[in-house]
Amino acid sequence: MLIRNLRNRADVRLEGSEEVVDGRGLVLLPGFVDLHCHLRQPGFEHKETIATGTLAAAAGGFTTVCCMPNTEPTIDTVGTLQHVVEIARQEAVVRVLPIAAVTRARRGAELSDMAELAAAGAVAFSDDGSPVASSSMMRHALEYANSFGRVVIDHCEDPALTKGGAMHEGQVSERLGLPGWPAAGEEVMVARDVALAAQTGARVHIAHVSSAGSVQVIRDAKRRGIRVTSEVTPHHLTLTDEWIERGAYDANCKVNPPLRSEGDQLALIEGLLDGTIDAIATDHAPHAMADKACEFEQAAFGISNIETAFASLMGLVHAGKLPFDLLVDKLTRSPAAVLGLDLPADDWVLVDPDAEWTVDAARLHSRGRNTPLHGHTLRGRVMLTICRGRVVYDALREAAIAS
Ligand SMILES: [Zn+2]
């Protein structure tokens, strides 16, 4: 494929087809890497499958996705891991890197066979959805994973503080009369993990940082030379708890950790700018309609966002809050570095930073239609995604037909 007249570089020739693409106004980037998504297979195929989730990833410009192990069964044995790898080999359109559970069935009682799982292809370990609640268990997990070069990714939540919490605890939760999930519920666990990383010398990776206090704890830890890395989601960077009020208790805004205040949002952006936060990861969490079509307090946590991630983040670029090159780094090189990986040389995404489009939940490739952005117009669009040298998503063709 020959792409001509690109905005960011000279004409580019990619292996594969003989097609010539008009790249005027477009920018060619390395394929995006998502450290954190939920593909739901095995066990929850009514929410998402590896096939639909990776199609959605391709439409979002992601060519590598790391899938979380909170499936049924949990990805906590070599057999289940190999099952996921085999389905991905047959049905995935982008690269799928499985993350295995830290503890058996994510119950926090016994470590999984981490060394065997790593040897079988687990790129990292996490009990995501739950924290590793026992500090002693977490200490052993960090030491053990470190001994064979893997990182533990922790979902930081102190269940004693967050039990029953449906949204960020603050003025908005008070006005809405909803039970709060306080920022401290995250921050105490981040502080604990930092202390354990310092104690063991092993690196810990903090999933979906959501509060200003967590950013500060991680910033201080990095200054002290403690081995900690972290990620933030597109929704925590672009939405706040006020969306729940404005959306009249829109359950599609219910996510864990919860959307927080504007002050938290600004601190998260600051954390990206100064390197406290290493990567942007989607935490794409597709759900079935029934999981969200209920009272806010009963609704499942999660947002289906892998297809809207780039465009919603471009909103920060257009608003002058985040440099474009930094956004690209946080979606490509930096998340790969968190896992110690290099970017594949044959994965590319072609984007139009200025194209506007309106999100239509019914047209998402994901089975999860649970997006709070339905009906919103975003500026920035993925036009073409190439994985392993093969076109896996093509909006150019659609655009050509429409024009
Ligand atoms: Zn999580």
Side-chain angles (χ1 to χ4, degrees):
M1 176 180 294
L2 177 64
I3 311 176
R4 308 189 63 172
N5 304 313
L6 280 163
R7 212 196 268 203
N8 66 329
R9 46 195 289 183
D11 296 356
V12 169
R13 189 176 288 283
L14 303 174
E15 301 273 314
S17 77
E18 293 302 305
E19 199 180 344
V20 179
V21 171
D22 178 6
R24 263 174 301 176
L26 306 182
V27 178
L28 187 68
L29 304 170
F32 303 154
V33 176
D34 192 0
L35 283 176
H36 188 148
C37 77
H38 298 272
L39 297 180
R40 305 296 193 204
Q41 193 176 4
F44 303 100
E45 287 83 353
H46 61 292
K47 294 176 192 267
E48 192 78 287
T49 64
I50 289 171
T52 60
T54 57
L55 275 174
F62 291 88
T63 51
T64 300
V65 295
C66 303
C67 59
M68 283 294 173
N70 57 338
T71 48
E72 185 53 52
T74 306
I75 306 176
D76 63 355
T77 63
V78 168
T80 305
L81 183 98
Q82 285 172 338
H83 177 59
V84 168
V85 168
E86 181 55 25
I87 299 170
R89 193 183 66 75
Q90 292 182 28
E91 299 177 13
V93 301
V94 303
R95 299 170 200 266
V96 174
L97 304 179
I99 293 171
V102 178
T103 65
R104 290 185 205 282
R106 299 168 45 249
R107 285 205 196 95
E110 283 172 276
L111 289 182
S112 64
D113 298 326
M114 293 168 82
E116 289 79 359
L117 285 159
V123 285
F125 293 90
S126 182
D127 278 357
D128 188 52
S130 319
V132 179
S134 154
S135 301
S136 159
M137 185 67 66
M138 187 62 173
R139 175 190 182 168
H140 290 305
L142 288 171
E143 282 171 337
Y144 191 31
N146 188 52
S147 72
F148 46 82
R150 291 292 190 279
V151 70
V152 175
I153 300 173
D154 203 20
H155 165 119
C156 289
E157 171 176 357
D158 180 340
L161 283 170
T162 64
K163 195 165 184 289
M167 67 173 292
H168 173 59
E169 182 177 309
Q171 288 170 2
V172 182
S173 68
E174 258 174 51
R175 283 203 295 272
L176 296 180
L178 288 171
W181 192 131
E186 173 175 297
E187 291 154 5
V188 294
M189 215 52 139
V190 174
R192 179 204 72 171
D193 285 353
V194 162
L196 292 174
Q199 176 76 43
T200 59
R203 180 163 58 93
V204 65
H205 180 79
I206 309 295
H208 42 55
V209 174
S210 72
S211 87
S214 298
V215 175
Q216 194 54 48
V217 171
I218 297 165
R219 179 177 292 128
D220 290 345
K222 284 192 165 184
R223 281 197 189 128
R224 288 161 58 206
I226 297 168
R227 297 178 66 209
V228 54
T229 51
S230 64
E231 69 190 32
V232 62
T233 72
H235 42 275
H236 290 106
L237 289 167
T238 57
L239 310 179
T240 64
D241 56 353
E242 294 195 353
W243 276 63
I244 298 166
E245 189 167 40
R246 257 188 282 148
Y249 297 83
D250 180 3
N252 290 324
C253 294
K254 184 177 177 185
V255 64
N256 186 1
L259 299 178
R260 299 203 187 270
S261 70
E262 197 183 342
D264 292 303
Q265 191 183 24
L266 293 173
L268 293 168
I269 296 170
E270 194 55 44
L272 278 178
L273 292 173
D274 74 4
T276 299
I277 299 178
D278 298 83
I280 297 173
T282 67
D283 194 10
H284 172 68
H287 284 294
M289 291 297 230
D291 302 323
K292 290 288 195 178
C294 53
E295 294 272 311
F296 193 90
E297 284 181 66
Q298 271 73 54
F301 290 101
I303 296 178
S304 175
N305 67 352
I306 205 162
E307 291 167 78
T308 54
F310 172 72
S312 61
L313 292 162
M314 280 303 296
L316 297 174
V317 174
H318 292 304
K321 293 176 180 168
L322 197 64
F324 181 73
D325 289 349
L326 188 70
L327 170 62
V328 172
D329 181 79
K330 300 291 182 185
L331 287 170
T332 56
R333 191 197 57 83
S334 285
V338 165
L339 298 177
L341 305 174
D342 293 322
L343 289 176
D346 48 358
D347 289 3
W348 297 97
V349 57
L350 196 55
V351 302
D352 184 334
D354 293 310
E356 293 193 345
W357 60 289
T358 301
V359 179
D360 179 353
R363 295 193 59 190
L364 294 176
H365 296 76
S366 170
R367 284 203 175 151
R369 302 285 151 88
N370 48 303
T371 171
L373 299 177
H374 175 70
H376 287 262
T377 297
L378 305 176
R379 183 172 161 212
R381 192 170 169 204
V382 172
M383 302 307 296
L384 187 80
T385 307
I386 294 169
C387 184
R388 299 188 177 98
R390 230 166 50 84
V391 173
V392 289
Y393 175 72
D394 187 352
L396 286 171
R397 236 176 259 274
E398 259 174 68
I401 293 163
S403 65

